[in-house]
Amino acid sequence: MKRILLVLSFIFTLQLSAQIYTAKTGATSISFYSEAPLENIEAVNKSASIVLKSSTNEIQISLSIQNFKFKNALMEEHFNENYMESEKYPKAIFRGKINEPVDYTKDGETKVTITGKMELHGVTRDVTMDGLITKTGNDLKLNSKFKMKVADYNIQVPSMYVKNIAEEVDVTFLTVLEPYQKK
């Protein structure tokens, strides 16, 4: 009987460590902030698709550029039409890997670095970002803050707006992931 329980416990632990996690509905926020002399600009996107495969630490994030919401409708229009050309480049995609081992079976916090490829505005670049994974029960909270240079992604700022938009924007990423369950 003890052997059977030991084997079942081992199988259960393996299943947990090979878990696929996806973003909880309404629990994701990807925002950016641009501090500039004439005007600060910020927007938030709350509808990204995220998948984390715990057995390999691979993560993929996809979001619609048009889902960034601004406090000012005109800013949102300029963002989509003039800068991001969101009809031509509708998505931003990150494919990467968490570099540090994470114990997905125990509650706690793990500081991590995530490396991968960011595809934005028709440009793909290697990126590395610091993050924090907090496991509580079945949920994983993942957050990260990093800087992104606008010019790295061929985002052109018209000369008349150069003082309105910073060359580097602060990006904040926060999500709560839960074990994927077929519906």
Side-chain angles (χ1 to χ4, degrees):
M1 182 69 170
K2 286 183 182 178
R3 271 195 170 153
I4 293 172
L5 289 175
L6 185 61
V7 169
L8 288 174
S9 173
F10 179 71
I11 290 170
F12 181 71
T13 301
L14 282 178
Q15 287 177 336
L16 282 178
S17 65
Q19 185 70 50
I20 302 291
Y21 290 88
T22 58
K24 270 187 157 179
T25 302
T28 297
S29 174
I30 299 172
S31 61
F32 70 84
Y33 177 77
S34 168
E35 185 175 331
L38 294 181
E39 184 174 32
N40 295 335
I41 300 170
E42 58 187 311
V44 66
N45 187 323
K46 294 189 175 208
S47 60
S49 297
I50 304 164
V51 177
L52 170 67
K53 185 176 180 183
S54 65
S55 62
T56 60
N57 275 353
E58 292 173 286
I59 186 166
Q60 183 169 322
I61 303 163
S62 176
L63 61 93
S64 170
I65 297 300
Q66 290 183 341
N67 286 340
F68 276 101
K69 298 302 173 200
F70 295 72
K71 64 181 179 182
N72 178 316
L74 188 58
M75 280 183 185
E76 190 169 319
E77 183 180 323
H78 287 175
F79 172 80
N80 282 300
E81 292 177 8
N82 301 336
Y83 305 113
M84 296 304 293
E85 302 173 274
S86 56
E87 285 193 22
K88 185 175 181 181
Y89 307 109
K91 292 197 174 291
I93 298 171
F94 175 80
R95 291 178 183 91
K97 187 170 183 171
I98 299 166
N99 298 310
E100 292 73 21
V102 177
D103 187 346
Y104 296 100
T105 65
K106 294 182 184 174
D107 286 1
E109 290 185 351
T110 307
K111 288 184 179 182
V112 296
T113 54
I114 304 165
T115 55
K117 298 199 177 288
M118 177 81 72
E119 183 182 323
L120 177 67
H121 198 248
V123 176
T124 302
R125 296 186 55 88
D126 291 329
V127 296
T128 299
M129 59 192 91
D130 294 325
L132 180 69
I133 295 177
T134 305
K135 177 149 183 353
T136 308
N138 287 329
D139 291 347
L140 293 177
K141 181 178 174 184
L142 175 58
N143 61 33
S144 177
K145 287 186 176 188
F146 57 97
K147 294 191 179 293
M148 181 180 288
K149 290 184 178 180
V150 175
D152 285 350
Y153 293 93
N154 291 337
I155 299 168
Q156 304 297 316
V157 179
S159 59
M160 65 187 287
Y161 294 113
V162 167
K163 291 189 178 188
N164 289 32
I165 298 173
E167 293 177 19
E168 195 171 66
V169 297
D170 296 318
V171 179
T172 302
F173 172 81
L174 174 62
T175 189
V176 178
L177 306 173
E178 63 186 349
Y180 172 73
Q181 296 179 359
K182 292 182 182 178
K183 296 178 183 182

